[in-house]
Amino acid sequence: MPDLVDVIKESSSLVINESWKRCQTKDLDPSRMDKEHRLGEYEMTDLYDKYAELLHYSTPILEDIYHSVRGSESLLLIAAPEGYIIDTLGDPYFLRLTENVSLQKGANWLEESKGTNAIGTAIVEKQPVLVYGNQHYCHDNHFLACAAAPIRHPDGQVLGILNLSCHQKNYHPFVLSLIKRAAHSIEQALLLSHTQKQKDKLTEDLTFIYDHHPSSLITLNKEGGITRLNYSASRTIGCSEQIAIGKHISSIISELNPSALVGAQGQKIRFKNQVFTPYLLSSDNAEESCMILRGEVEKGHGTLSNHYHFTDIISNDPLMNETISFAKRAAQVDISLFISGESGTGKELFAQSIHGASLRSNKPFIAINCSAIPESLLESELFGYEKGAFTGAKSGGQEGKFEAANGGTLFLDEIGDMPLAAQATLLRVLQERCVTRIGGITPRPIDVRVIAATHKDLQKEIMEGRFRADLYYRLNGFTLKLPPLRERTDLLLLAEHILSRIPFQKEKAELTEDAKAFIKEYDWPGNFRQLQNTLQQAAFLANHHPITKSLLLSLCPTFANAPSMEKEYSAKENPVSLQEHEMTVIKQVLEQTKGNISQAAKHLNIGRNTLYRKLKAYNITLQ
């Protein structure tokens, strides 16, 4: 089996070859490299000012990465698009070593200056680059292994380069993936900052959209008084905005109970020929708007194409609540979204909720599971086909999911399982905003918002050639990372919610105290689906008696990260609690990894923050 480093080097050979050709064309001498030229203090000050925002948001992420790689003889740096290094962080010994090749602040690492290298080549290629050992054009750099990834401004332009350099003998195959993830984190921080800076302009744009929105929009304060309405709503209620403002909503829509405004969230209220849906807005001022009513012309059966809304997401967990908040904000911005998370964490629930809160909510929401459709049929499902395109095709042809979702939202679930051929076609459709049916020649314009989701690590899929990097960046306008159940603090709330909605029971099943403790401590690798399935089975088997820990344990499989759990719980002699078992496992892993938090968290299959929280809860100190 080939070494993983060799595989990674081979995968980057095309980019390296092109870079070497550029260097040879410019007559660069590989035996002589400019090590003297560096910017002065005054010139560096100008660069610091120019890239102050980049440095502000990259510095804490550099420090976080360095905390993980400290002691591995490595150097982290940020370079400007002009090739100049503007920030560095690394081990003192390695910093002194890299000064010999001018890998330091103020030095320029464009290909024209230093030949093929990760920084300069990433600037040219505008994509992540690994340059290993003698792949460097200049001989002096052959001892290095460098991974670099562009950091893009929200407008799409390359704002800087994140790079990690180490001695090639210390290179780890997943360094490039780490740098790409870190660069993406910086991009996300920049995106949020950019969004905040554009707040005033966005407010103006939203005002325009509100006034000209085709749906009827009415905003209310906490007392139920009308604070604003648009032209469409004015026509619907037969009253101008000037006259309507200040009136109580019940004087116009009597079906809306003024004492239950909060409880009306997500309900459907019919008025004339429209269906009004209330949505809560956040406001601490009683006079300001706290609710918006959106009216839509009633359809044949009064139903929408999406079944879930944000009100269906049950959460009392800070991390999940923050994710919901981001999702609500993202719903109002018409960009492609990427939802990542393990199976069963609610990716489609979020996708439908985002659609329902977006300006496309009165248009179709179409979902397709890329892993559930045979490869031979996937392209025809997505893009449609003309009559006679293949044997068995419908006589009149068939529109694809893109056409069906036109004007609305297309949810591509398990995008990580899409074949490469379909990925190429999907990328072209997203770029050209036109779809050509299989067997056809006429492009059909489409206006679709794409939300993609997967449980896979797409950075790893890209590295291994199973997913296109250009498609990933096209889809990833903003990423929502859904936390797994093992990292959430509101498991009992979810459990009580599930038990209150079991259809075959008139009364909610009760949980014993030890069952509650088990629910909070078990990892739930299947996430919400497993929790729901387990509780439904337990409620049935308990037969109107309280659900016990032993019953739940019998329904939960034992996984590799807790090989002795079932044995310890089933033994009658010397029973061990879940807390004690978990404490023992954590101590053993920390001892094996010599207190390395990152490695320990990886072995335990939990996040670093989760591990830190458990260390604090169990009062475990690092040696």
Side-chain angles (χ1 to χ4, degrees), residues 280-539:
L280 290 179
L281 305 172
S282 60
S283 175
D284 296 328
N285 191 328
E287 297 301 320
E288 292 179 355
S289 303
C290 74
M291 174 175 284
I292 185 167
L293 301 176
R294 188 184 70 216
E296 301 169 293
V297 176
E298 191 168 10
K299 300 178 182 179
H301 299 287
T303 59
L304 300 176
S305 52
N306 60 307
H307 304 293
Y308 299 109
H309 299 274
F310 283 115
T311 51
D312 297 306
I313 303 176
I314 308 302
S315 171
N316 193 28
D317 174 72
L319 182 59
M320 189 64 163
N321 290 344
E322 184 181 55
T323 304
I324 294 170
S325 177
F326 282 141
K328 288 180 177 179
R329 290 171 59 189
Q332 302 302 316
V333 185
D334 201 18
I335 58 174
S336 297
L337 294 177
F338 189 80
I339 304 176
S340 66
E342 297 176 4
S343 296
T345 51
K347 295 187 287 293
E348 182 162 358
L349 174 60
F350 265 80
Q352 291 199 22
S353 300
I354 289 168
H355 172 77
S358 72
L359 297 177
R360 297 176 179 268
S361 59
N362 61 337
K363 299 295 183 179
F365 174 90
I366 303 295
I368 182 169
N369 189 321
C370 300
S371 66
I373 299 174
E375 181 175 345
S376 58
L377 298 178
L378 184 59
E379 290 197 43
S380 62
E381 282 288 319
L382 282 172
F383 313 121
Y385 58 84
E386 299 288 6
K387 70 175 182 178
F390 49 84
T391 303
K394 292 182 180 180
S395 59
Q398 176 71 47
E399 72 173 10
K401 301 299 185 185
F402 267 94
E403 289 183 71
N406 195 27
T409 302
L410 179 63
F411 178 54
L412 299 176
D413 198 12
E414 299 305 342
I415 187 77
D417 292 318
M418 179 177 284
L420 283 169
Q423 290 179 33
T425 308
L426 174 59
L427 178 63
R428 187 173 67 251
V429 169
L430 295 176
Q431 290 173 335
E432 298 174 358
R433 295 187 174 274
C434 289
V435 62
T436 302
R437 294 182 179 182
I438 295 175
I441 58 173
T442 305
R444 302 167 185 260
I446 54 164
D447 174 25
V448 172
R449 180 187 198 174
V450 174
I451 301 177
T454 185
H455 70 280
K456 290 187 174 182
D457 182 349
L458 286 193
Q459 299 288 354
K460 182 179 179 182
E461 296 295 300
I462 290 171
M463 286 180 60
E464 296 177 358
R466 292 191 291 268
F467 200 85
R468 294 178 62 111
D470 46 4
L471 177 58
Y472 172 78
Y473 291 118
R474 172 67 65 171
L475 290 170
N476 192 6
F478 186 82
T479 295
L480 290 171
K481 178 72 169 70
L482 305 189
L485 253 61
R486 63 180 173 272
E487 294 184 4
R488 291 179 61 170
T489 58
D490 58 351
L491 293 182
L492 287 183
L493 175 67
L494 295 176
E496 295 292 347
H497 174 75
I498 292 169
L499 292 173
S500 67
R501 290 173 170 255
I502 294 178
F504 55 78
Q505 287 196 320
K506 293 183 179 179
E507 296 183 0
K508 187 179 75 172
E510 297 296 325
L511 294 164
T512 62
E513 290 304 315
D514 59 352
K516 292 178 181 179
F518 176 85
I519 289 172
K520 290 193 292 184
E521 293 157 3
Y522 186 66
D523 274 349
W524 300 108
N527 293 298
F528 186 82
R529 290 196 191 100
Q530 183 190 4
L531 177 64
Q532 184 179 46
N533 180 270
T534 300
L535 289 176
Q536 286 181 345
Q537 292 185 62

Side-chain angles (χ1 to χ4, degrees), residues 12-26:
S12 63
S13 60
L14 180 60
V15 170
I16 302 300
N17 289 340
E18 290 299 316
S19 175
W20 273 59
K21 289 179 184 177
R22 289 192 295 269
C23 295
Q24 291 165 348
T25 301
K26 294 168 184 173

Side-chain angles (χ1 to χ4, degrees), residues 14 17 19 34 68 134 147 172 178 183 209 258 288 396 440 554 569 591 595:
L14 180 60
N17 289 340
S19 175
D34 176 18
S68 300
N134 60 11
H172 192 284
L178 171 67
I209 293 170
E288 292 179 355
S554 69
Y569 272 97
E591 184 176 352

